[in-house]
Amino acid sequence: MSTRTDKIDELSARAADDAGVSLAAAAWRRLRRNPVFLAGAGIIVLFVVLAAAAPWLAPHDPSVPMLGDQVVKARNQIPAVQDGHPLGGDQNGRDLLSRLLLGSQQTLLVGVFATLIGLGGGLLLGTLAGALGGWVDTVVMRAVDVMLSIPGLLLAVSIGALFAQPNQYTVILAVAIVQIPIFARLLRGTMLAQRHSDHVLAARSLGVKQRAIVFRHMLPNSLGPVIVQATLVLAIAIIEAAALSFLGLGNPDDRIPEWGQMLGQAQTVIDSHPQLAFWPAGCIIVVALGFTLVGESLREALDPKSRR
Amino acid sequence: MLRYTIRRLLQLLVVVLVLSLLLFAWLRSLPGGPVSALLGERATAETRERLTEELGLNEPIFVQYLKFVGRALTGDFGVSTGVQPGDSAAEIFVQRFPATLELSILAIVIALAVGIPLGYLAARRRGGILDNLSVVSSLIGVAVPVFFLAFLLKQVFAVDLGWFPTAGRQAGGIDATRVTGFFVLDGLLTQEWDAAWDALRHLILPAIALASIPFSVVFRITRASVLDVVDEDYVRTAESKGLTSPVIRRRHVMRNAMLPVVTTIGLQTGALLAGAVLTEKVFAFPGIGQALALGFERRDYPVLLLLILCAAGVFVLINLLVDLSYAVIDPRIRTRGVR
């Protein structure tokens, strides 16, 4: 069979599939069969379960330096792998496996809260600009342009540096604020594109109030790309939080472990004890990959062009 | 075209002015401050006061800002208090900018040289092994923190294998003549081949680490837009006219597929600068990024202000160039006139 008739078969099969279902339902159908999405979702589910069960799974208290007697700072000696400590200890003699397990909680929280704050701020600004237009649009978008003109990490570092005592909340805030203009611009773009579209015109001519048009018609239709972006930002937020730690602007209080912080702190001993960096870095990479895979497959599934 | 360019340049000016005011206020509100950074915690109140006065930090902030703008117009951006104490901020910028530029250019060249052909091949053999492998590796590339990749490269290729130097821009023993500040170019211009080679060797690992950011994007955009373009009617027309495949590839597929790639390169400038902060720190590479990292550590206001402003200016400027380059690549925009 030639490739062309193959394509026609495929198209007609797709069309029958998608007939009479909403975009979201059609997207879900495509996602269910997409190995990329399944792999990403599997990773995320696994780590969420691990994070939830961490207090029971962790063999030791992650904040207690129980192997402290094996740490010799002067000779750069760090507890090795031993009975009861399958990954050994960290530079302060705490059990590495327990810190990794509990670290998943804090890391996921940083990602989720940074994304939610960025999304919330962007949603507010983008909706205002896109729905109202006029001078509101101009003012908001110029402010967004100025924010976007500073490279993301530099902005996060500037915000992080504002606080005398960095802690987990300042890290979340620094990473989140960087995302606000990106969400705002995205949302404003999709809202603007709809302002003169037929369904909005129809609603307006039926006498639907402006507020209802914005919230019931325009906003729901703009959410697709926003959800995609939010999934990708979850990965970015976790990586950027690690970068802040690496630059010395992370949370210095390490009683509650977080992977980015563990990686940042490991840089001083990385030459002699690379495992202290490899484990948290590996976890960050796998989780970030999970969110990226889900985000990319969502983007594909929600893009009408890729329905071919 | 000219009017559009002028309007965009004026916009750039406004952005830089607003940004300078914001940054000025912002950096002044940072905790710590240069006085503690310079004198340490144990200085007496008297010496602190004297230095505060000397640096002009006791005046109202808007007076400080106006004075700063006045001096900035004459090219005086203040004296570094932390990164290289005593040197002027402008001097630090002039010294370090070529280093970061050299590094970024090499990183972009690597990303384009690998990303575009790979993207093309992956698209032409969609679903094949090469396609799947390169898609997966580009996704992993996004997920790996760039400073960790830099550490990894340094550890394996510089420390363990010893193929490349671990830090800096030039080996200590080499006495190279400086012409432009671009070390590789300098070596080539003065025909000091060993100096050029040595500088290049210092660049390779950081550039590869830095290239991981634009590579993923360049690869994915190339692949997606080639996939878009090969289905177009004009490509089929070209095929049925009997044009050879290199000609179709060059004139019909790639020329059209490159448009989104060019946009991406512009947008990647910001990410590259951010990546440079991390990569340069790992390789102790004396560029803008390292100065920024040090500047934040030591609260060096004049240096931070100038460097962030320049970073933003370069970012906006490059995106302007990208917009203008559309007209060159895409004749439709040229004839339609620019919005």
Side-chain angles (χ1 to χ4, degrees):
Chain A
M1 217 192 289
S2 83
T3 46
R4 259 208 206 263
T5 51
D6 266 355
K7 208 165 196 177
I8 293 170
D9 286 345
E10 200 187 299
L11 273 177
S12 53
R14 281 282 165 81
D17 252 17
D18 293 349
V21 283
S22 69
L23 181 66
W28 172 236
R29 273 193 192 187
R30 282 192 297 278
L31 280 179
R32 250 181 357 201
R33 287 188 299 238
N34 185 351
V36 175
F37 173 78
L38 293 177
I43 292 174
I44 296 172
V45 170
L46 174 72
F47 275 92
V48 170
V49 169
L50 277 180
W56 293 278
L57 287 176
H60 305 283
D61 186 333
S63 57
V64 177
M66 53 194 343
L67 302 170
D69 51 328
Q70 296 179 36
V71 178
V72 186
K73 284 250 158 72
R75 272 187 291 153
N76 206 2
Q77 194 176 312
I78 281 165
V81 174
Q82 55 196 273
D83 265 357
H85 303 278
L87 299 181
D90 75 351
Q91 59 270 53
N92 290 320
R94 295 166 298 196
D95 182 53
L96 189 56
L97 177 64
S98 307
R99 287 184 70 73
L100 272 181
L101 278 167
L102 263 308
S104 61
Q105 290 186 338
Q106 204 59 32
T107 307
L108 289 176
L109 283 183
V110 168
V112 168
F113 278 111
T115 307
L116 283 180
I117 296 172
L119 180 67
L123 220 59
L124 189 72
L125 289 180
T127 312
L128 276 176
L132 297 178
W135 66 269
V136 179
D137 186 32
T138 313
V139 169
V140 170
M141 290 328 284
R142 285 295 84 80
V144 163
D145 279 348
V146 170
M147 274 176 92
L148 282 178
S149 69
I150 309 180
L153 182 71
L154 279 191
L155 188 56
V157 170
S158 317
I159 298 165
L162 260 181
F163 305 101
Q165 252 92 44
N167 56 45
Q168 68 215 71
Y169 305 108
T170 64
V171 172
I172 291 176
L173 205 62
V175 177
I177 290 178
V178 178
Q179 303 302 328
I180 292 179
I182 299 172
F183 279 113
R185 167 150 273 201
L186 187 67
L187 210 73
R188 181 239 184 200
T190 53
M191 302 268 281
L192 217 56
Q194 285 183 63
R195 271 218 304 208
H196 302 289
S197 68
D198 291 344
H199 70 277
V200 170
L201 195 65
R204 190 159 290 143
S205 51
L206 283 171
V208 181
K209 285 205 187 84
Q210 171 76 10
R211 196 168 10 145
I213 293 179
V214 170
F215 287 106
R216 296 238 187 96
H217 298 273
M218 289 163 79
L219 201 55
N221 271 311
S222 314
L223 282 184
V226 172
I227 294 170
V228 170
Q229 181 67 26
T231 324
L232 297 174
V233 165
L234 276 166
I236 296 169
I238 291 172
I239 295 172
E240 298 240 300
L244 280 183
S245 282
F246 172 70
L247 290 174
L249 293 162
N251 178 10
D253 179 5
D254 60 359
R255 277 170 303 179
I256 304 169
E258 191 264 328
W259 295 337
Q261 180 196 53
M262 291 167 72
L263 180 54
Q265 288 180 348
Q267 62 178 302
T268 49
V269 291
I270 195 166
D271 294 335
S272 49
H273 303 280
Q275 80 275 13
L276 289 187
F278 282 1
W279 284 109
C283 290
I284 289 175
I285 293 169
V286 173
V287 167
L289 184 64
F291 285 121
T292 311
L293 291 178
V294 168
E296 291 296 334
S297 47
L298 269 178
R299 188 207 296 279
E300 222 168 90
L302 287 171
D303 178 9
K305 256 169 77 188
S306 66
R307 282 211 221 182
R308 285 178 293 181
Chain B
M1 192 71 180
L2 188 67
R3 273 184 58 190
Y4 175 73
T5 314
I6 291 173
R7 215 181 71 205
R8 288 285 300 264
L9 282 174
L10 284 178
Q11 265 179 19
L12 172 70
L13 198 68
V14 173
V15 166
V16 168
L17 266 181
V18 173
L19 201 60
S20 71
L21 180 60
L22 288 179
L23 280 173
F24 196 82
W26 200 320
L27 290 170
R28 285 297 182 276
S29 62
L30 291 184
V35 176
S36 334
L38 275 179
L39 296 177
E41 295 298 324
R42 273 175 294 176
T44 61
E46 204 178 316
T47 43
R48 279 171 173 281
E49 214 165 282
R50 205 168 42 209
L51 189 65
T52 309
E53 219 160 283
E54 217 169 276
L55 295 172
L57 295 171
N58 55 338
E59 290 176 86
I61 197 158
F62 66 92
V63 175
Q64 287 185 38
Y65 177 69
L66 286 180
K67 281 191 173 167
F68 163 76
V69 172
R71 282 196 307 267
L73 289 176
T74 65
D76 175 12
F77 288 89
V79 175
S80 163
T81 54
V83 177
Q84 294 167 30
D87 288 2
S88 79
E91 210 172 298
I92 293 179
F93 175 78
V94 172
Q95 250 172 38
R96 284 169 179 260
F97 186 63
T100 301
L101 200 59
E102 210 172 32
L103 178 63
S104 310
I105 290 174
L106 188 60
I108 290 204
V109 168
I110 293 174
L112 292 177
V114 182
I116 292 179
L118 206 60
Y120 177 79
L121 287 176
R124 288 326 291 263
R125 293 187 178 72
R126 190 184 189 179
I129 297 174
L130 180 75
D131 185 21
N132 287 329
L133 270 182
S134 40
V135 168
V136 169
S137 63
S138 81
L139 289 174
I140 293 176
V142 179
V144 178
V146 62
F147 62 91
F148 181 68
L149 181 64
F151 262 133
L152 223 54
L153 290 171
K154 180 176 150 185
Q155 193 65 33
V156 174
F157 294 104
V159 178
D160 292 347
L161 294 172
W163 294 353
F164 297 98
T166 52
R169 274 184 91 184
Q170 188 99 70
I174 291 181
D175 183 29
T177 323
R178 296 284 159 246
V179 189
T180 57
F182 297 91
F183 283 14
V184 179
L185 189 64
D186 282 355
L188 296 178
L189 285 177
T190 56
Q191 302 189 342
E192 291 166 337
W193 308 120
D194 54 331
W197 174 238
D198 179 68
L200 187 64
R201 271 167 35 101
H202 278 83
L203 275 177
I204 287 175
L205 288 182
I208 292 177
L210 195 53
S212 71
I213 305 169
F215 160 74
S216 308
V217 184
V218 167
F219 164 75
R220 280 188 296 166
I221 304 268
T222 307
R223 178 177 175 276
S225 65
V226 168
L227 278 177
D228 266 352
V229 171
V230 288
D231 280 345
E232 293 284 351
D233 292 339
Y234 54 77
V235 174
R236 187 146 28 93
T237 309
E239 275 166 9
S240 44
K241 273 199 322 195
L243 293 184
T244 56
S245 41
V247 172
I248 298 176
R249 185 172 63 217
R250 203 173 54 240
R251 288 216 202 119
H252 299 272
V253 176
M254 284 323 256
R255 182 141 189 180
N256 284 297
M258 279 306 95
L259 206 56
V261 179
V262 173
T263 321
T264 326
I265 297 172
L267 291 174
Q268 286 299 302
T269 334
L272 269 184
L273 272 166
V277 175
L278 301 167
T279 322
E280 289 181 2
K281 187 171 185 222
V282 174
F283 286 98
F285 190 84
I288 298 285
Q290 194 204 28
L292 277 165
L294 281 175
F296 274 109
E297 235 164 74
R298 301 178 189 167
R299 311 276 182 236
D300 192 337
Y301 296 154
V303 171
L304 283 179
L305 191 65
L306 179 63
L307 293 189
I308 297 181
L309 266 184
C310 288
V314 166
F315 184 53
V316 178
L317 201 63
I318 286 184
N319 280 300
L320 169 64
L321 288 178
V322 166
D323 285 354
L324 293 178
S325 71
Y326 283 159
V328 180
I329 303 178
D330 188 348
R332 282 173 303 183
I333 293 177
R334 220 178 312 163
T335 50
R336 210 192 296 142
V338 187
R339 285 159 292 154

